Amino acid sequence: MASKRQSLGDAKLAKADEFYTQLSDIEKELRHYKKHFKGKVVYLNCDDPRESEFFHYFSYNFEKLGLKKLIAACFKSQDMDLFSEVDSERAVYLEYTGDKDGDRIPGRDEIEVKCLKGDGDFRSQESIALLKEADIVVTNPPFSLFREYVAQLMAYDKKFLIIGNMNAVTYKEIWPYIQQNQIWLGVTRTGTGQMWFRIKDDAPDRTGQRVDEDGHRYQTIGNSAWFTNLDHSKRHEELTLYRTYDPAVYPSYDNYDGIEVAKAVDIPVDWDGVMGVPITFLGKYNPDQFEIVGIAKSPLGEPSKIYPKQTQVSATGVRSVVTKLNDGPALKVETPPVGKTYYEIDGEYYVQLYARILVRHKRVTV
């Protein structure tokens, strides 16, 4: 049993993670997966039914999608105005099995409200029991618990469509699933733009917030992305390539096997070796066209060399001794770049790049 301090900590963390996905973003993504939902039990296990647009989407499209059952639960609901007969201090979960009166609207008398003994945490035994019943999980889980959340889904072999920070692809707990094609990105918002989430009126002030004309508050969280193991047609679209390899344009890394490709659209069509591409490439990744061979990022990557301590020279000329050059792919340069950070080792100069996904072409042999 969790201690009172742990419970208070979990509650504080949950409140900081309360971000409500907009219906427009849900509709844009979910329209690519309709074939997966027929006859399935969908579980929204991080969704306050009073606030969740996920619940709205699936309940109003229940018959159209051909769902078998919809279940929604969340970490201890603080306000259950929609179901006023329920004690607001109790965690609840909802079950909906479709329209009963023919009006195609999920009414109160058609949604079964059940109380949980615990706090509704997705890690609780009660929530896990509901998870076992589900076929597909769809939600916006707490970003701070993303690693643990995904680990649970994989442990119980569940299909899912969830939202997370794009940088999660570089987590040591997530990357192996990406490389092994067990998890991939969805169709929209694949790390190339911001997604705005509605937040509660009493949410703490942070950078990246705005208020709409109705007074509703919104928060953006870096580059958000959809993560899934449900196949979609976008994943099999071939990336059109037209550039050819030129060593002057595509320098080789000094500490990894591969050439630098700054943009996915610039992948040389005639290069059969390893290429390093930005992590946003995963939004265009077609497993029929490319093979993921690794990642250039510490501690996940396998560099060909480890650098000794180096002198970092900042863009403003400040010098300091660091080991940052081992964090990811490095390029050796003839002269120090002007106005940019670089590194010096025994009179030789290097620049550090962000994490790169290492890929190669899949060639069809006859």
Side-chain angles (χ1 to χ4, degrees), residues 198-205 209-211 215-218:
R198 192 167 64 79
I199 57 177
K200 291 196 172 183
D201 294 339
D202 60 350
D205 291 328
Q209 292 184 356
R210 66 176 174 84
V211 180
H216 296 135
R217 295 178 64 197
Y218 293 85

Side-chain angles (χ1 to χ4, degrees), residues 134-325:
D135 297 303
I136 305 174
V137 177
V138 184
T139 193
N140 176 8
F143 279 22
S144 61
L145 298 174
F146 193 78
R147 297 170 175 85
E148 190 172 357
Y149 185 84
V150 170
Q152 184 190 80
L153 292 177
M154 301 304 288
Y156 287 94
D157 194 25
K158 294 300 173 181
K159 295 296 184 181
F160 59 86
L161 179 62
I162 61 176
I163 298 174
N165 191 300
M166 182 66 185
N167 289 329
V169 303
T170 66
Y171 297 168
K172 63 182 178 63
E173 298 89 351
I174 305 297
W175 170 250
Y177 296 128
I178 298 289
Q179 183 173 2
Q180 296 162 21
N181 283 314
Q182 293 178 288
I183 296 178
W184 46 87
L185 296 187
V187 178
T188 61
R189 303 290 187 181
T190 51
T192 56
Q194 296 175 325
M195 188 184 297
W196 288 91
F197 301 91
R198 192 167 64 79
I199 57 177
K200 291 196 172 183
D201 294 339
D202 60 350
D205 291 328
R206 295 178 177 175
T207 57
Q209 292 184 356
R210 66 176 174 84
V211 180
D212 68 12
E213 60 275 11
D214 296 320
H216 296 135
R217 295 178 64 197
Y218 293 85
Q219 172 81 54
T220 186
I221 313 172
N223 288 324
S224 302
W226 293 87
F227 292 79
T228 188
N229 56 1
L230 296 170
D231 205 9
H232 53 79
S233 59
K234 180 76 173 179
R235 187 168 173 253
H236 299 283
E237 290 181 0
E238 185 163 323
L239 180 62
T240 302
L241 305 172
Y242 59 93
R243 294 193 181 276
T244 57
Y245 173 70
D246 180 345
V249 177
Y250 301 100
S252 296
Y253 300 125
D254 186 66
N255 58 339
Y256 281 90
D257 173 28
I259 61 172
E260 163 67 1
V261 181
K263 298 179 181 179
V265 293
D266 292 336
I267 290 175
V269 68
D270 58 344
W271 179 258
D272 288 327
V274 176
M275 302 168 285
V277 291
I279 62 174
T280 52
F281 162 81
L282 292 173
K284 301 178 176 67
Y285 170 56
N286 177 347
D288 307 315
Q289 185 179 11
F290 297 99
E291 173 191 1
I292 298 176
V293 298
I295 187 170
K297 183 184 187 301
S298 176
L300 299 172
E302 298 181 359
S304 58
K305 67 165 65 173
I306 301 296
Y307 298 105
K309 288 183 179 180
Q310 62 269 185
T311 299
Q312 174 183 281
V313 183
S314 73
T316 57
V318 177
R319 302 175 71 88
S320 55
V321 177
V322 300
T323 60
K324 292 182 180 179
L325 204 53

Side-chain angles (χ1 to χ4, degrees), residues 28 41 44 55-56 77 81 86 132 135 138 144 151 171 193 203 223 280 296 298-299 319-320 323 338 360:
K28 287 176 186 176
V41 176
L44 319 174
F55 185 79
H56 177 99
S77 301
D81 290 345
V86 177
K132 290 179 179 179
D135 297 303
V138 184
S144 61
Y171 297 168
N223 288 324
T280 52
S298 176
R319 302 175 71 88
S320 55
T323 60
V338 178
R360 65 161 58 97

Side-chain angles (χ1 to χ4, degrees), residues 9 102 334 344:
E334 292 296 325
E344 184 177 346

Side-chain angles (χ1 to χ4, degrees), residues 301-366:
E302 298 181 359
S304 58
K305 67 165 65 173
I306 301 296
Y307 298 105
K309 288 183 179 180
Q310 62 269 185
T311 299
Q312 174 183 281
V313 183
S314 73
T316 57
V318 177
R319 302 175 71 88
S320 55
V321 177
V322 300
T323 60
K324 292 182 180 179
L325 204 53
N326 292 307
D327 290 350
L331 294 175
K332 191 175 182 179
V333 294
E334 292 296 325
T335 57
V338 178
K340 295 182 179 180
T341 297
Y342 66 92
Y343 302 84
E344 184 177 346
I345 303 175
D346 297 331
E348 296 183 315
Y349 308 108
Y350 304 83
V351 293
Q352 170 78 70
L353 303 175
Y354 291 110
R356 293 290 191 260
I357 307 294
L358 301 176
V359 303
R360 65 161 58 97
H361 288 284
K362 273 188 175 180
R363 303 297 189 188
V364 178
T365 57
V366 180

Side-chain angles (χ1 to χ4, degrees), residues 100-114:
K100 302 294 189 298
D101 56 17
D103 64 359
R104 297 285 177 153
I105 297 175
R108 293 188 183 188
D109 57 337
E110 296 169 329
I111 301 172
E112 191 171 1
V113 185
K114 298 182 179 181

